[in-house]
Amino acid sequence: ATSHDWLADGIVLPHSVDVTRLPGFDDGAFAVQDGAAQVAADLAELRDGLRVLDACAAPGGKACHLLERADIDLTALEFDAARTERIRQNLMRLRLNAKLVMGDAGAPKGWWKGLPFDRILIDAPCSATGVLRRRPDVRLHRRDSDIPALVAQQQRILAVMSNPRQFKIPDWFLNRQKDHKDGKFKHIISNNVWSTLREDIERMKKI
């Protein structure tokens, strides 16, 4: 294995392998995570003592990575019971601790206790068209009719999590983003994005 050029915690194996058979896997010596997903830990700018919410946490890869970076108070939120169990299993294997909460990220009244978070990570449900190389089966079951519901769900979650008056979250990160400063944040999931996703799905059907 060799170190990755730009991922601080990443190493690259010379060939594909069943990672569960590698020495140290059962002991929690390492975790497997896409490179792009690992960047979330860098963007979070963590330090010990922060309260962190992973709002759509399953299967728990990013949550575990955040916990490995700093001594934080992390809440892993997930709507589905089976997927919540996957988070628990990953935490156990890696010997990490977090608060596991079942709930809807877009409806915080059902689970939020009113204490603000210093960091919030949102990996919202999506079409998965961006991971076709790793999950080619997506083209078999994803339909253009799925997109409106996904768009609405993403908008609902982002509207709650990005509204300081409603959720009392810090805006240190958003204020550094040009789209947020220009008042365009609420349009991140726009009709243009919707159209692009539908075009992706049509291309998948022809593969």
Side-chain angles (χ1 to χ4, degrees), residues 3-75:
S3 60
H4 194 276
D5 291 339
W6 48 271
L7 293 173
D9 303 321
I11 60 173
V12 181
L13 301 181
H15 51 77
S16 298
V17 64
D18 180 357
V19 295
T20 64
R21 301 179 64 179
L22 291 175
F25 179 82
D26 290 335
D27 298 326
F30 61 90
V32 179
Q33 192 178 30
D34 286 348
Q38 294 185 38
V39 176
D42 294 325
L43 294 175
E45 298 182 6
L46 298 175
R47 61 178 182 274
D48 291 352
L50 294 183
R51 280 176 45 81
V52 179
L53 171 67
D54 187 347
C56 304
K62 297 184 187 69
C64 290
H65 193 191
L66 296 176
L67 288 165
E68 291 171 332
R69 279 290 185 90
D71 183 12
I72 57 176
D73 179 4
L74 185 138
T75 297

Side-chain angles (χ1 to χ4, degrees), residues 92-189:
M92 288 184 61
R93 185 181 68 82
L94 295 169
R95 278 67 168 174
L96 298 170
N97 295 306
K99 295 184 181 71
L100 279 180
V101 177
M102 279 191 59
D104 181 357
K109 289 183 179 180
W111 53 267
W112 186 45
K113 304 302 182 183
L115 295 175
F117 291 98
D118 301 298
R119 305 287 188 270
I120 293 180
L121 171 63
I122 307 172
D123 186 2
C126 66
S127 66
T129 55
V131 293
L132 280 176
R133 184 176 63 177
R134 180 164 53 85
R135 292 182 53 193
D137 61 296
V138 170
R139 71 183 181 90
L140 300 178
H141 59 76
R142 183 65 71 209
R143 300 290 182 269
D144 57 358
S145 58
D146 299 333
I147 303 304
L150 287 169
V151 170
Q153 187 175 18
Q154 291 174 345
Q155 287 178 326
R156 184 170 59 88
I157 292 172
L158 287 173
V160 171
M161 295 294 169
S162 65
N163 186 343
R165 292 183 180 179
Q166 185 171 357
F167 205 58
K168 300 181 181 178
I169 64 171
D171 54 2
W172 66 276
F173 180 80
L174 292 177
N175 283 338
R176 298 189 310 188
Q177 311 308 309
K178 185 177 186 300
D179 286 345
H180 181 65
K181 289 181 178 180
D182 294 344
K184 300 176 182 177
F185 183 75
K186 63 181 179 181
H187 301 300
I188 286 178
I189 305 175

